[in-house]
Each structure stands twice: as structure tokens, then as C-alpha cells.
Amino acid sequence: QVQLVESGGGLVQPGGSLRLSCLASGFPFSSYWMSWYRQGLGNERDEVAGISAGSRTREYSESVKGRFTISRDGAKSTVYLQMDNLKPEDTAVYFCSVFRDGRRHWGQGTKVTVSS
């Protein structure tokens, strides 16, 4: 079955950087669009970045464009989210996701807190 395991979250000061990782298994990773979502306290879960199967297409929400970079490594079945110039409003639980078998699959999430 699909498994997505996120890591790399933590506490960082405003202006700092973090890199999130998501290890995928249970499906042909290199054939699927992969996404990162986030959910802040009291907010809906929103997509912040997505990357096509061959990495040719990358999409970002307006709130993170120019600060976040999504990438993937097929040999490691891992998708990354490099987050730079972090702001307090980036504080959220970040989830890796793939749409397969007619539904969206989620990891357990990794918490990112941006605070001084």
C-alpha cells in the first residue's frame, strides 16, 4: 500500500531555512505527480507545491513562490521541499501527498514552527 513518511520539520527563526523530505513506497514513485500541502492551526489543508513525474513541471502557491523549491530523487523515491526565508505565517504541519487509485494519500505530516 502507499506509504509516505515525512521528516525534516522543526523550530526555525524567521528568515531561516529548512528542508523537508518525504520517502515514498508502495507505488511507482517515478510515474506520479507529487505534492506538498500544509495546514496551519484552524486552517484548511492547502497545496503549496507540486512536481510532475519527470520534474519538468513545478508549481507553487503564491504565498511560497520564490522562497520554496520542490524537487525529487527517483533513485531514492523521495520528494523534497527546500524552504528558505521562512516567515511566521509558514508555521504549519506539512504533508506529502500523492493521488492514486482514485483518492489522495497522505503522510503523517511534519511540524514546522517559525518563531523567534
Side-chain angles (χ1 to χ4, degrees), residues 36-101:
W36 282 98
Y37 284 72
R38 70 183 181 187
Q39 187 168 19
L41 190 63
N43 294 334
E44 295 183 352
R45 192 173 296 189
D46 295 320
E47 186 174 12
V48 295
I51 186 168
S52 62
S55 301
R56 183 169 298 179
T57 301
R58 308 180 197 210
E59 296 180 349
Y60 300 93
S61 67
E62 286 300 318
S63 61
V64 307
K65 196 173 293 184
R67 301 187 297 119
F68 290 12
T69 304
I70 190 170
S71 61
R72 64 192 297 162
D73 184 335
K76 296 181 179 179
S77 295
T78 299
V79 60
Y80 303 97
L81 187 66
Q82 176 67 39
M83 306 186 296
D84 298 317
N85 190 22
L86 282 160
K87 303 176 181 180
E89 51 264 43
D90 295 318
T91 295
V93 179
Y94 285 73
F95 298 89
C96 176
S97 182
V98 63
F99 190 86
R100 172 177 163 82
D101 299 329

